[in-house]
Amino acid sequence: MSHTVQSFFTPANTNRPPTYEMLREEHEVAALGEPHNPAPLTSTVIHIRSETSVPDHVVWSLFNTLFMNSCCLGFIAFTYSVKSRDRKMVGDLTGAQADASTAKCLNIWALIMGIIMTILLIIIPILILQA
């Protein structure tokens, strides 16, 4: 095995130092050597299916169940949320998405009705006291 020392400063180039690109090219040629096979490069692509995230809205449903549970919509939304989480654990993503969508709709209605009831509970006593 022969080790050779390359001089970057040849007598013709002693007036100016070599540029970075020249040094990099000389290093790559020295390290890699000349290409032996000019065959085209091939590549392999592997498609990995990503995990689909299905929100189950359990926390939101629990909040609606505990606070201002009008018409038991919060409790019903909570049952659909737990059902969605169970289906997601089993691997039934279509069923989990359907149950999560139902839970979201019920949570929206429970929240709207809870806000309306809170506003009415504030306004009605004020109107009674003014009369």
Side-chain angles (χ1 to χ4, degrees):
M1 179 170 210
S2 171
H3 293 286
T4 59
V5 177
Q6 289 184 347
S7 174
F8 293 114
F9 297 105
T10 59
N13 285 337
T14 53
N15 295 347
R16 62 185 170 108
T19 62
Y20 171 74
E21 286 80 19
M22 289 172 41
L23 292 174
R24 190 181 68 189
E25 276 184 24
E26 289 179 10
H27 175 69
E28 287 176 358
V29 169
L32 299 176
E34 295 296 323
H36 298 292
N37 188 4
L41 297 175
T42 59
S43 63
T44 304
V45 178
I46 299 173
H47 295 285
I48 299 174
R49 196 171 67 140
S50 63
E51 184 79 22
T52 304
S53 176
V54 179
D56 48 20
H57 309 293
V58 172
V59 176
W60 188 12
S61 300
L62 185 63
F63 176 79
N64 283 333
T65 300
L66 296 176
F67 303 106
M68 295 305 247
N69 189 14
S70 56
C71 301
C72 294
L73 288 178
F75 181 71
I76 297 169
F78 184 72
T79 56
Y80 273 102
S81 297
V82 171
K83 191 175 176 184
S84 171
R85 179 173 281 182
D86 290 343
R87 284 190 174 193
K88 184 168 59 172
M89 290 296 175
V90 171
D92 181 16
L93 294 180
T94 306
Q97 286 175 342
D99 288 338
S101 175
T102 303
K104 181 179 178 181
C105 183
L106 289 170
N107 278 324
I108 290 171
W109 279 107
L111 184 65
I112 290 172
M113 290 181 70
I115 290 171
I116 289 173
M117 287 178 58
T118 303
I119 291 172
L120 289 176
L121 285 174
I122 292 172
I123 291 177
I124 289 176
I126 291 174
L127 293 176
I128 291 174
L129 289 175
Q130 286 182 354

